[in-house]
């Protein structure tokens, strides 16, 4: 009886071994015909068979089931030959078969529970991954905003500071204008940096943030470049329509970055910004008008990292691509042209 019952304490850890030990003990118990009733040995065996069907490896469970069925047939051969009551012969098969079916049902429920747990864990990992990707995209967006603001502002400040240094002795009034422009650009740069970093603020700080710029304030942007010595002309083609916030900001940044790149190169005599409100979308063209003496130098400058794949051009491409548009940039005669096209579905026209 100890051999029948004690192994059941570890039946879930070693289900196959427990069946072997309990089955052997049951056979011995039945063969010795120990009173009061050898049939009581079947109950520990039922538990062992159930456990093997529920928790043992699939291949081992089938082997155990086959061995058990064969053992029952062999043990019942004398009864079959003696034409004993047919019910006594079938009863062990029914009982052990029922235990096996219950074990299979438990296995299926455990497998379903494990599947649901794994699916929940996978969904949690996917949510975490999506959150991580979202954070990275947000950081990339902040980096683009900061680059656009800093590149534009520092370029204007550097040119104005150089102009003030050259004019401070001979033409102090013009130097004062340059210093005033530096003050205005630096203040606006700080404001735009606060807006770019606004996503890191708490909700209570949101009311302090001013709206992001768009094509509606393009004249102010152009004035800054004109103060820096770049002759900028703006031409609008078509009837303007209200642009979505995100696209309006992207269009503004494209113009700002293109004009900043133009301002960085002394060979540029001026630039023309064309805004086309087409039937199929919005088109921006920033065309550099190079001075005759500096045309060759500007063509060489096309190989600069900012223009040939650095953060500037890369940032413009990413902004346009976010709205399903395209951006082309390259030399055109003696100048340089940047063309951004936003399809109608993104422009809202």
């Amino acid at each position: 009886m100890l051999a029948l019952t004690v192994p059941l304490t570890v039946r879930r850890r070693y289900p196959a071994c427990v069946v072997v030990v309990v089955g052997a003990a049951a056979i011995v118990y039945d063969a010795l015909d120990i009173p009061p009733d050898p049939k009581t040995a079947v109950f520990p065996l039922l538990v062992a068979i159930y456990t093997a069907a529920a928790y043992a490896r699939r291949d081992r469970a089938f082997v155990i089931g086959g061995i058990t069925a064969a053992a029952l047939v062999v043990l019942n051969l004398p009864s079959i030959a003696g034409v004993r009551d047919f019910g006594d012969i079938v009863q062990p098969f029914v009982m052990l078969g029922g235990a096996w079916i219950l074990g299979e049902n438990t296995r299926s429920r455990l497998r379903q529970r494990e599947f649901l747990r794994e699916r929940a864990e996978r969904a949690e990992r996917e949510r975490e991954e999506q959150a991580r990707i979202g954070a990275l995209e947000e950081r990339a967006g902040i980096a683009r905003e900061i680059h656009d603001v800093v590149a534009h502002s520092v370029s204007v400040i550097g040119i104005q500071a150089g102009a003030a240094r050259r004019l401070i002795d001979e033409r102090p009034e013009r130097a004062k204008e340059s210093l005033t422009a530096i003050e205005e650009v630096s203040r606006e740069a700080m404001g735009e940096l606060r807006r770019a970093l606004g996503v890191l603020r708490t909700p209570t700080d949101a009311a302090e943030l001013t709206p992001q710029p768009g094509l509606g304030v393009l004249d102010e942007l152009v004035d800054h470049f004109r103060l820096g010595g770049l002759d900028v002309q703006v031409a609008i083609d078509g009837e303007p329509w209200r642009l979505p916030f995100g696209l309006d900001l992207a269009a503004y940044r494209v113009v700002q970055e293109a004009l900043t790149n133009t301002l960085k190169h002394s060979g540029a005599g001026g630039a023309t910004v064309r805004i086309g409100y087409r039937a199929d979308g919005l088109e921006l063209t920033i065309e550099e008008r190079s001075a005759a003496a500096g045309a060759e130098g500007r063509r060489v400058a096309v190989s600069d990292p900012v223009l040939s794949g650095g953060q500037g051009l890369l940032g413009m491409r990413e902004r346009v691509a976010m709205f399903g548009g395209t951006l082309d940039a390259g030399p055109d005669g003696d100048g340089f042209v940047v063309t951004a096209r936003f399809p109608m579905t993104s422009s809202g026209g």
Side-chain angles (χ1 to χ4, degrees), residues 113-344:
R113 187 183 306 168
E114 181 68 16
F115 170 76
L116 293 176
R117 184 185 64 81
E118 290 179 355
R119 188 169 66 176
E121 292 178 352
R122 184 168 59 252
E124 181 65 22
R125 289 194 299 269
E126 290 176 354
R127 283 194 296 269
E128 293 176 355
E129 181 67 14
Q130 289 296 326
R132 187 184 68 84
I133 293 174
L136 291 176
E137 291 177 350
E138 189 65 35
R139 290 172 62 183
I142 294 173
R144 286 195 298 267
E145 290 294 324
I146 292 176
H147 169 270
D148 292 342
V149 172
V150 172
H152 160 67
S153 303
V154 171
S155 297
V156 173
I157 290 173
I159 292 175
Q160 293 287 3
R165 178 179 56 81
R166 291 191 299 269
L167 298 174
I168 193 168
D169 293 328
E170 299 178 0
R171 305 175 66 181
E173 290 300 323
R174 290 292 304 276
K176 184 178 179 180
E177 293 178 2
S178 296
L179 293 175
T180 301
I182 291 175
E183 181 182 5
E184 293 177 355
V185 170
S186 60
R187 285 179 179 176
E188 292 189 5
M190 289 301 299
E192 291 198 26
L193 285 175
R194 282 195 294 270
R195 287 194 293 268
L197 297 174
V199 293
L200 303 179
R201 293 173 176 262
T202 60
T204 57
D205 298 324
E208 302 177 6
L209 302 178
T210 56
Q212 291 278 29
L215 294 182
V217 294
L218 187 61
D219 290 341
E220 298 178 10
L221 177 68
V222 169
D223 288 340
H224 289 160
F225 286 102
R226 287 171 178 167
L227 288 174
L230 183 66
D231 181 19
V232 182
Q233 303 297 324
V234 178
I236 297 178
D237 183 16
E239 183 67 23
W241 59 65
R242 182 181 178 85
L243 299 174
F245 166 75
L247 188 144
D248 198 17
L249 174 61
Y252 178 90
R253 293 302 189 197
V254 168
V255 174
Q256 182 185 53
E257 181 64 30
L259 291 178
T260 299
N261 287 334
T262 300
L263 186 63
K264 288 178 180 178
H265 301 278
S266 59
T272 301
V273 178
R274 303 183 188 278
I275 305 175
Y277 294 91
R278 315 294 185 194
D280 57 348
L282 177 70
E283 181 176 290
L284 301 175
T285 302
I286 302 89
E287 182 178 351
E288 173 189 309
R289 302 190 306 274
S290 295
E296 183 62 29
R298 184 64 184 95
R299 285 197 292 270
V300 174
V302 173
S303 62
D304 287 353
V306 172
L307 294 175
S308 60
Q311 181 67 22
L313 184 56
L314 178 61
M316 286 192 288
R317 290 191 187 281
E318 290 179 349
R319 289 183 183 278
V320 176
M322 285 176 60
F323 298 91
T326 59
L327 185 136
D328 298 318
D332 182 22
D334 292 336
F336 194 86
V337 178
V338 175
T339 303
R341 298 178 180 87
F342 299 89
M344 183 174 60

Side-chain angles (χ1 to χ4, degrees), residues 7 10-20 51 56:
V10 292
R11 60 192 179 93
R12 291 193 179 183
R13 181 175 298 182
Y14 308 105
C17 295
V18 169
V19 170
V20 173
T51 304

